[in-house]
Amino acid sequence: MQVQKHARIANIRKLSRYFLFLTVALMAIIAIGAIGFPIFLMTVSSGDLTVVGYLARAATVDDGFFSLLKDGLSLQLKVVAGLVWLAWCAVVGRVLVHINQLLTCFHDGEIFNKKAIFHAKRAFNINLILVASALGIDFLSIIFSYIYPSAGGTGDIGHFLGRILDQLTWIGFFLLLLWSLEIGVDLNEEAELTI
């Protein structure tokens, strides 16, 4: 029996149609956010909060970036925040494009093929870079909070370690799914050769 002709393929095709709609909607939201946030930054009052000062305070402030707006942002922080936001939106958009292409393969009934594996691997690898970057920024924030304790306290290392454990769990889960797709491709190729 060819793996690609399994009865559950129809269910996967149906469900992937809904996820295709969701990824397109997410891509539109990311595009709007990529344009809107830099415009929003231009309207924020100017102040003396720098990038290092923001990172030192971000490790301890629960509300994150927006709670620090009342102090005013320096031009340096506005430019860096805008560029980081644009880079983040571009990378997340790229992940969504690969996920969309993977779901297109699923919708077409081509679940276990090399094109699907290619898009799944790309989405996984780019997402891995995103996770490493976010954890790196969190780590820098904790370091700066200890170097500049006058900024409002020190970062919580336990919370940071918890985030690492959480991200490693998700990475492991998605790696298992990727390996399952690769095994499916191998089984599909073997089934085609034996017929």
Side-chain angles (χ1 to χ4, degrees), residues 2 32 34 38 42 69 71 88 102 104 110 118 123 128 140 162 169 183 187:
Q2 187 180 9
I32 291 169
M42 287 188 275
L69 294 180
D71 298 336
W88 183 85
L102 175 66
T104 301
E110 298 292 325
F118 170 78
L128 200 59
L140 272 177
T169 302
I183 290 170
L187 290 174

Side-chain angles (χ1 to χ4, degrees), residues 19 79 98 103 117 145 178:
F19 284 119
V79 169
H98 283 295
L103 290 169
I117 294 297
S145 74
L178 181 60

